[in-house]
Amino acid sequence: MGVKEMFSLARVPFILLLGVVYVAYVLIGGVIFWKLEGDFGRKDLSVALNNKEKLLTTYTCLNQDALVAVAKVVQDASKRGLSLKGNNTADGFWKFTSSAVFAATVVTTIGYGNMSPITTAGQIFCVFFALFGIPLNIVILNRVGKYMLLIERNVSDFLERKTTRKTCTRFFIHLFCYICGVVFFFITPMIVFQQQEGWTYAEAIYYCFITLSTIGFGDFVADSNPDKDYPDWYNVLMASWIFFGLAWLALVINHSIDILERINNHFKMRWGNSEQEESGNTEDKTPETQVEEADEIKEPPAAQST
């Protein structure tokens, strides 16, 4: 059996192979997180229990029920953005700027979880706001990302006509755009968050990635410390960073798809199509092949790689 026949047969269970790789990837990640965080989590829990015992020992008038009541007050104050150190943040989270950032986190599906509507009307409105806002956000970000990719391609095509090394020119244009994106949406925000929030650089870059990837754990949230007095421009900068950062991420995704399509076409040209595709027999086509052909037919000309 030649290499061509082996490659043709390997395409049949490819979707199963992807499933196995995905499951293995998730399980391996779970094991690594378990090993990295499990022991530390148990130690952290023991420290918390010791602090609880010290608190009860120091303040003898504070029993178990009173400690639970105090913890509930602290939790409620933290959820509403109130500081227990003073009354200088009596407005809490739901100011206009913070509410606008919250609306942005809803439609972008980041969902930090540090603030959420508690009224029935607010919860119902949030449902309908997200129902129409999330698709609108996806469409806009996808369009902006494709427009940015089109500008990048036009610049690359213009420079290619001015030089003889077209491949090197396109590569360096893509590399330059990637570097600019990393600087604008990761390095610069990392410095700003480190200065405004008091985080370490590792925590700031971690927050940047968790936000722009829309994972949104909520363990680090900018503009949410009730003991800090943030400048007025901070909310505007944060909302702009989220929007354009997600658009840049859409550009990266579109560019990655373009690269994968080029690699796929390269292998098709190198190994050729299978005997069933050459004879035009559609009965023996795999589901993956049919999906790929359907995507090629339905794909609009504007989305195809240049």
Side-chain angles (χ1 to χ4, degrees):
M1 180 180 294
V3 178
K4 179 179 178 180
E5 288 76 8
M6 293 178 60
F7 180 77
S8 178
L9 292 177
R11 297 181 60 184
V12 177
F14 188 67
I15 187 64
L16 298 179
L17 178 62
L18 285 179
V20 172
V21 171
Y22 175 79
V23 173
Y25 185 80
V26 172
L27 293 178
I28 292 173
V31 171
I32 294 176
F33 282 124
W34 175 41
K35 292 298 182 181
L36 292 177
E37 302 292 335
D39 294 337
F40 181 80
R42 286 188 290 269
K43 293 178 182 179
D44 195 44
L45 182 60
S46 63
V47 171
L49 292 175
N50 291 332
N51 291 335
K52 173 186 174 182
E53 295 298 329
K54 290 180 181 180
L55 184 64
L56 292 175
T57 304
T58 304
Y59 302 96
T60 56
C61 60
L62 193 66
N63 56 19
Q64 183 69 28
D65 294 335
L67 181 61
V68 173
V70 171
K72 188 176 185 304
V73 171
V74 174
Q75 183 180 13
D76 291 340
S78 176
K79 187 175 181 180
R80 288 163 175 78
L82 300 178
S83 175
L84 296 178
K85 296 181 180 180
N87 297 323
N88 56 334
T89 54
D91 290 338
F93 277 141
W94 296 105
K95 297 175 289 186
F96 171 73
T97 53
S98 300
S99 301
V101 173
F102 169 76
T105 60
V106 170
V107 297
T108 56
T109 69
I110 296 175
Y112 292 119
N114 63 313
M115 57 187 298
S116 58
I118 57 176
T119 63
T120 302
Q123 292 171 350
I124 295 175
F125 173 76
C126 184
V127 171
F128 288 99
F129 179 74
L131 185 64
F132 294 99
I134 292 175
L136 177 63
N137 176 76
I138 293 175
V139 171
I140 293 178
L141 290 180
N142 187 44
R143 293 296 181 183
V144 172
K146 288 184 177 180
Y147 183 74
M148 296 169 66
L149 181 60
L150 180 61
I151 295 177
E152 178 185 343
R153 287 176 175 173
N154 290 336
V155 173
S156 180
D157 294 338
F158 174 77
L159 294 178
E160 283 180 0
R161 290 192 295 266
K162 301 296 183 179
T163 182
T164 57
R165 297 190 175 185
K166 297 183 179 181
T167 304
C168 294
T169 302
R170 183 175 291 271
F171 171 77
F172 283 111
I173 289 296
H174 292 331
L175 180 61
F176 176 77
C177 292
Y178 277 124
I179 293 176
C180 290
V182 171
V183 170
F184 282 120
F185 301 114
F186 282 95
I187 304 301
T188 303
M190 176 190 68
I191 298 174
V192 173
F193 292 138
Q194 192 277 332
Q195 295 292 328
Q196 295 294 327
E197 303 292 341
W199 299 335
T200 64
Y201 287 111
E203 292 171 344
I205 198 69
Y206 165 79
Y207 167 76
C208 291
F209 179 78
I210 293 300
T211 297
L212 294 186
S213 60
T214 68
I215 297 175
F217 287 129
D219 48 353
F220 292 94
V221 181
D223 191 30
S224 64
N225 190 346
D227 296 322
K228 286 184 175 293
D229 187 15
Y230 297 101
D232 295 333
W233 55 264
Y234 191 57
N235 299 92
V236 178
L237 179 65
M238 183 178 171
S240 301
W241 167 70
I242 291 176
F243 177 79
F244 289 104
L246 290 175
W248 175 77
L249 187 62
L251 167 64
V252 173
I253 293 175
N254 283 322
H255 194 200
S256 300
I257 293 174
D258 182 58
I259 293 175
L260 292 176
E261 289 178 349
R262 291 176 181 271
I263 294 175
N264 184 38
N265 294 332
H266 172 74
F267 278 106
K268 281 184 177 181
M269 293 176 61
R270 181 176 179 181
W271 300 106
N273 297 325
S274 62
E275 295 181 358
Q276 291 83 0
E277 292 174 336
E278 292 177 353
S279 62
N281 186 2
T282 60
E283 296 178 356
D284 296 334
K285 290 182 179 179
T286 63
E288 180 195 358
T289 305
Q290 296 178 10
V291 170
E292 289 179 354
E293 292 180 355
D295 290 340
E296 292 177 356
I297 296 174
K298 294 179 181 180
E299 186 179 15
Q304 293 179 355
S305 60
T306 56

